[in-house]
Amino acid sequence: MGSSEEPTLEVNYDKPPGIRFVEYIKKSSISYKTHRGIVLMVTFFAYLSYHATRKTNSIVKSALDPQSPNVDSKLSYFSWTRSYAQRPLYGKKSSFFLGAGWEPFNGSEGTSLLGVLDVAFLFVYATGMYFSGHVGDRVNLRIFLTIGMVGTGLFTSLFGVGYWANIHIFYYYLIVQMLAGLFQSTGWPSVVAVVGNWFGKRKRGLIMGIWNCHTSLGNITGSLVASMMLKYGWGWSMVVPGLGITFVGIILFLFLPVSPESVGASADDGDQVLHSPRKGGEEIREPLLRSVSTEKESAVGFLEAWKIPGVAPFALCLFFAKLVAYTFLYWLPFYISHTAVEGRYLTNEEAGSLSTLFDVGGMIGGILAGHISDRLGARAITAASFMYCAIPVLFLYRNYGHVSMTLNIVLMFFTGIFVNGPYALITTAVSADLGTHSSLKGNSRALATVTAIIDGTGSIGAAVGPLLTGYISAKSWSAVFTMLMVAALIAGLLLTKLVVSEVTTRIQETREREISRSTPPPLEV
């Protein structure tokens, strides 16, 4: 009977070619723990490459439109379209890098056109996220991610090809950017779904908090690579990252195991024993994929996913949380370079370097939020608390960040912690939790859809925030920070019902423990 069962099991496996080759050379199966390590590493570099290609646009802007803005000591005279693009470097050295610009972006409407590219990219990305999640729960995520990464690389490179092809048609770049945004939308719901398949709820917040550092590292990598390539022609700043994500996409296709069931791995294959009394038991208690019913499960519908308890509040919360986070992403270097610190205006290079501290704080915040939520067993309480703490920090940064460089650094670092902490928590651990909610009764085919709903809604806020900031900053930066503080407050309030529920649950658990302790043991006869 044993021989008749093995072929049936083997047919259901979908091992990536790379893993099959490694096991052939090794002449033994890869352990469950090794599979999980591969998942973390491959998805980490996959989404790092997504963000690296996304960041190149801000670097290339200075080459496409190198005109000097009409800098005035009063910030009220900046139009949103001028400030939306990064301010270029000046002097003979910078002109060697930037040249005379690139038509049609080097004219009087150049920065306005660049702003249109940004907004178009973000809105297509946000809209595409909903469809990507819906499709991701119905297809092989390894194939889907590969297509998304290769497509992203293709259209990122095609933007750069305009340099050698001498293309000066605005709609060419607009269409290419929109298609790049569409393929970019495949990334997040897919990688979160894959990681969620391999890691149970226990310590998921901490693991995903550390894993989520790929976002900030991707931004840094994209900036460095694009800046280094700029001197050879702005086309290289787009093509090299485009080729990079294509290469990583091929590696992903060869090695990414989508789920334990897809490769025939289980917790008792290697380092974790299925029947062990240690922590492995807690992982098994909340399975993310049921091997017995995998083939019979039907993917959860879009509207059905919205009805999962917690999805709507967290999605709306992320709208406002991401509005704050992306406003800093697009505007922080500009704000720093146009705000005197200790009576001195920083150069673009200094402002850009200083702004990275926000990302460093964001990495720490994501890890802290994940770890705290794991310890408390309360995602909503953690996310809401971070958003509330962001309000006074934003106030202090606006009003006292200019006093000294040290104070600016400290306040910016803490702003990154409290702004990016809940953003990272919601888009990772919370999305994975809700994608495997108990109301689904074990159905695993909702991870990508739920992740797409939450992050897609947040991405709309990411597009709205910078756009509103452009208009408001023309009148007052204090008004911009007021908007951000109000957004943080709303984000926290949207989780009130979930916070009350978690607090009630904690109180009940505490009472039950006290009752169990006070109850005397039964007398032995």
Side-chain angles (χ1 to χ4, degrees):
M1 292 181 66
S3 59
S4 62
E5 291 180 0
E6 282 187 17
T8 305
L9 288 172
E10 202 58 44
V11 170
N12 292 329
Y13 295 165
D14 182 28
K15 292 186 179 181
I19 288 182
R20 288 181 180 274
F21 178 74
V22 171
E23 289 182 339
Y24 175 79
I25 298 297
K26 188 181 176 183
K27 299 187 183 305
S28 63
S29 298
I30 295 177
S31 69
Y32 183 83
K33 185 176 180 180
T34 302
H35 273 110
R36 300 214 302 182
I38 293 172
V39 168
L40 284 180
M41 184 173 297
V42 172
T43 55
F44 182 91
F45 283 103
Y47 208 68
L48 184 151
S49 63
Y50 269 106
H51 259 266
T53 56
R54 194 178 306 173
K55 185 65 177 176
T56 55
N57 298 328
S58 63
I59 304 300
V60 171
K61 284 177 183 176
S62 59
L64 300 177
D65 179 25
Q67 297 181 81
S68 302
N70 297 322
V71 180
D72 187 282
S73 59
K74 296 181 180 179
L75 296 177
S76 60
Y77 292 102
F78 286 99
S79 67
W80 80 270
T81 53
R82 170 60 63 188
S83 53
Y84 198 79
Q86 285 194 343
R87 197 174 65 172
L89 303 175
Y90 306 113
K92 294 181 178 179
K93 183 177 180 180
S94 62
S95 65
F96 168 76
F97 288 88
L98 303 177
W102 193 263
E103 190 180 348
F105 303 105
N106 60 349
S108 59
E109 298 296 322
T111 48
S112 177
L113 297 178
L114 290 171
V116 171
L117 293 183
D118 285 336
V119 175
F121 174 90
L122 288 170
F123 272 108
V124 172
Y125 173 77
T127 305
M129 189 85 69
Y130 293 118
F131 292 99
S132 294
H134 184 75
V135 174
D137 280 325
R138 290 159 172 78
V139 299
N140 186 317
L141 286 174
R142 179 168 61 89
I143 306 297
F144 189 57
L145 267 170
T146 302
I147 294 173
M149 296 178 74
V150 172
T152 297
L154 172 64
F155 288 104
T156 300
S157 298
L158 283 177
F159 192 103
V161 167
Y163 173 77
W164 293 284
N166 202 29
I167 298 174
H168 299 280
I169 303 171
F170 169 71
Y171 287 103
Y172 168 83
Y173 298 102
L174 178 64
I175 293 173
V176 166
Q177 274 289 81
M178 293 173 70
L179 290 172
L182 181 63
F183 279 97
Q184 282 261 358
S185 68
T186 63
W188 190 244
S190 301
V191 295
V192 171
V194 172
V195 174
N197 287 341
W198 283 93
F199 292 88
K201 193 171 182 179
R202 189 175 186 272
K203 292 187 178 181
R204 180 188 282 163
L206 176 61
I207 292 171
M208 285 190 154
I210 297 173
W211 173 76
N212 193 60
C213 291
H214 51 48
T215 298
S216 297
L217 291 176
N219 291 337
I220 294 171
T221 302
S223 298
L224 294 176
V225 172
S227 297
M228 288 189 294
M229 294 293 105
L230 200 59
K231 60 185 177 181
Y232 301 110
W234 64 264
W236 288 110
S237 297
M238 302 297 291
V239 170
V240 172
L243 293 175
I245 191 173
T246 301
F247 174 77
V248 177
I250 294 172
I251 298 298
L252 180 142
F253 174 78
L254 293 175
F255 289 98
L256 180 65
V258 173
S259 66
E261 286 71 22
S262 69
V263 293
S266 60
D268 60 342
D269 277 351
D271 305 273
Q272 296 188 4
V273 180
L274 183 63
H275 302 289
S276 173
R278 55 191 178 88
K279 66 181 182 181
E282 190 165 344
E283 290 280 343
I284 301 302
R285 198 156 40 230
E286 296 187 59
L288 297 173
L289 285 177
R290 308 289 180 104
S291 58
V292 176
S293 59
T294 297
E295 296 300 320
K296 298 181 181 180
E297 289 179 356
S298 60
V300 175
F302 183 78
L303 295 178
E304 185 182 352
W306 268 105
K307 296 177 182 178
I308 296 173
V311 168
F314 273 114
L316 295 174
C317 172
L318 188 62
F319 176 95
F320 292 96
K322 211 165 181 180
L323 183 153
V324 179
Y326 267 65
T327 297
F328 272 88
L329 176 67
Y330 278 98
W331 284 87
L332 186 57
F334 177 85
Y335 173 75
I336 293 172
S337 64
H338 292 83
T339 302
V341 181
E342 294 184 355
R344 183 177 75 87
Y345 287 92
L346 303 181
T347 64
N348 286 295
E349 297 95 325
E350 292 172 330
S353 299
L354 185 61
S355 67
T356 58
L357 291 172
F358 178 82
D359 281 325
V360 175
M363 288 190 285
I364 301 299
I367 296 172
L368 278 176
H371 178 63
I372 292 172
S373 68
D374 282 342
R375 295 295 298 271
L376 296 179
R379 309 290 195 206
I381 292 174
T382 304
S385 298
F386 270 65
M387 293 310 306
Y388 291 140
C389 289
I391 298 172
V393 175
L394 286 166
F395 176 82
L396 291 173
Y397 181 67
R398 168 58 185 163
N399 290 280
Y400 299 100
H402 65 279
V403 174
S404 69
M405 182 61 70
T406 301
L407 195 58
N408 190 292
I409 290 173
V410 172
L411 290 175
M412 188 190 306
F413 178 78
F414 278 97
T415 300
I417 290 177
F418 292 115
V419 168
N420 278 359
Y423 161 37
L425 177 66
I426 294 172
T427 55
T428 55
V430 169
S431 296
D433 289 349
L434 295 177
T436 55
H437 195 271
S438 58
S439 65
L440 296 171
K441 298 179 181 180
N443 190 340
S444 66
R445 306 287 297 281
L447 268 170
T449 300
V450 169
T451 301
I453 287 174
I454 292 176
D455 200 47
T457 304
S459 295
I460 297 175
V464 171
L467 184 61
L468 290 178
T469 301
Y471 286 108
I472 299 174
S473 65
K475 297 181 178 180
S476 170
W477 275 103
S478 294
V480 171
F481 276 83
T482 299
M483 177 192 74
L484 298 179
M485 289 186 283
V486 170
L489 175 62
I490 295 174
L493 291 176
L494 284 168
L495 299 179
T496 300
K497 186 176 180 179
L498 297 177
V499 169
V500 171
S501 177
E502 289 181 348
V503 171
T504 302
T505 302
R506 299 286 87 76
I507 293 174
Q508 289 177 347
E509 290 176 350
T510 302
R511 288 177 178 175
E512 290 174 359
R513 283 195 297 266
E514 291 177 351
I515 292 174
S516 62
R517 290 174 183 173
S518 60
T519 303
L523 297 175
E524 295 183 4
V525 178

